[in-house]
Amino acid sequence: MKEPMKGNGGFWDVLKGGGLSPRIASMLGAPSAQQIAFVRSLTKGQRRPETLHVPLSQLRTAVFDLETTGFHYHYGDEILSFGAVKVDGEQSTGEYYYSLCKPACSVPERIVELTGITPEMVQDAPPLLQALREFMAFVDDRVLIAHGSAHDKAFLDVALWKTTKAHLGHRVLDTMMIAQKLEPGQRVSSLDEWLQAYDIPVTQRHHALEDAKMTAGLWKAMIGRLKDRNVITLGDLYGFLSKT
């Protein structure tokens, strides 16, 4: 595992080096301000048109998953953990990121049973802004991939807006949607079912990092099948998904 980026960097390093007086930095809330600016910078300009011409076999992606306190962000549910792995084309890079996140709401018992994440485990976990900063730094400008991405994308976007007043600017691909398009005869949708359909071993479910690793396996397995359908580039994939 390569360690995720730690510390605040940039502005905060200037502060520690004497660039700003502690009094002024305290008034400005320097660490939080720097973190917010950093995260916002990582949400911009991520939909470059030239990415559409990149072959899927060379596409730099970050496959991710979130565990949350529930399914309804508009009723106050929040992110509990982040998990992500980097994939270059059809090869995992061996780099991954995982972090618990301290929610402002309670962790329901049903979520404890589902994820194994207890209130005690998140009591001393990083706050949302810190976890977001590390996650966004890890995924950088890669195309994001998730299974049933609507849930993860919505929670991520809400978290970004809540902490930085920025929206997610990355392209997000959904392995569930791609799999259903490739195999229209398969009447399945869950990650477990698609993993079984592609003969990918199921390890630990409802753990953000383990789910991300298995979803990465699914994505890599689909690239060859997409090539057989003459879906070569990211642009080809969007066209393939848009066909009725």
Side-chain angles (χ1 to χ4, degrees):
M1 171 181 176
K2 293 191 177 180
E3 288 293 324
M5 184 175 64
K6 299 293 184 183
N8 294 308
F11 185 82
W12 189 232
D13 290 339
V14 171
L15 169 62
K16 290 191 294 184
L20 290 176
S21 73
R23 177 174 174 273
I24 293 176
S26 177
M27 291 171 62
L28 294 175
S32 293
Q34 192 274 339
Q35 287 187 5
I36 290 171
F38 180 78
V39 173
R40 292 187 70 176
S41 72
L42 291 172
T43 66
K44 298 178 180 178
Q46 304 297 350
R47 293 175 175 264
R48 294 186 291 272
E50 56 267 28
T51 307
L52 296 173
H53 304 292
V54 176
L56 299 179
S57 60
Q58 300 175 22
L59 190 65
R60 298 169 63 252
T61 61
V63 186
F64 79 104
D65 183 70
L66 307 176
E67 295 301 330
T68 59
T69 61
F71 299 100
H72 308 290
Y73 60 85
H74 45 281
Y75 290 146
D77 286 322
E78 296 192 356
I79 297 172
L80 274 177
S81 64
F82 294 81
V85 298
K86 291 181 180 179
V87 178
D88 288 349
E90 299 174 72
Q91 299 295 322
S92 295
T93 68
E95 298 170 275
Y96 60 87
Y97 174 79
Y98 178 76
S99 178
L100 292 170
C101 179
K102 184 176 182 178
C105 60
S106 61
V107 183
E109 184 59 34
R110 69 182 187 280
I111 298 299
V112 174
E113 294 175 358
L114 181 68
T115 66
I117 300 174
T118 66
E120 292 75 21
M121 291 171 64
V122 296
Q123 181 61 39
D124 297 320
L128 179 59
L129 179 58
Q130 180 182 337
L132 264 177
R133 181 189 190 277
E134 293 179 350
F135 173 79
M136 295 300 293
F138 178 81
V139 303
D140 196 19
D141 61 350
R142 292 170 175 264
V143 173
L144 299 180
I145 299 176
H147 191 83
S149 64
H151 171 85
D152 303 275
K153 182 179 178 181
F155 270 86
L156 188 55
D157 193 60
V158 167
L160 284 167
W161 182 255
K162 179 179 179 180
T163 56
T164 69
K165 293 298 182 284
H167 287 293
L168 183 66
H170 293 62
R171 299 182 187 276
V172 181
L173 298 175
D174 188 341
T175 51
M176 181 178 70
M177 183 183 299
I178 298 170
Q180 290 174 335
K181 196 71 176 179
L182 279 170
E183 313 288 347
Q186 293 269 16
R187 302 299 180 184
V188 298
S189 59
S190 73
L191 180 58
D192 300 83
E193 292 170 318
W194 280 117
L195 291 171
Q196 183 178 5
Y198 276 73
D199 295 320
I200 297 172
V202 177
T203 55
Q204 182 181 354
R205 285 287 281 114
H206 304 296
H207 181 283
L209 180 56
E210 294 304 315
D211 282 354
K213 288 179 178 179
M214 290 183 289
T215 303
L218 184 59
W219 163 247
K220 291 184 292 183
M222 290 191 298
I223 292 177
R225 299 194 187 191
L226 287 166
K227 186 177 180 180
D228 292 339
R229 301 286 188 91
N230 203 34
V231 178
I232 308 301
T233 67
L234 179 60
D236 293 337
L237 178 56
Y238 281 130
F240 176 69
L241 294 173
S242 67
K243 293 178 181 178
T244 56

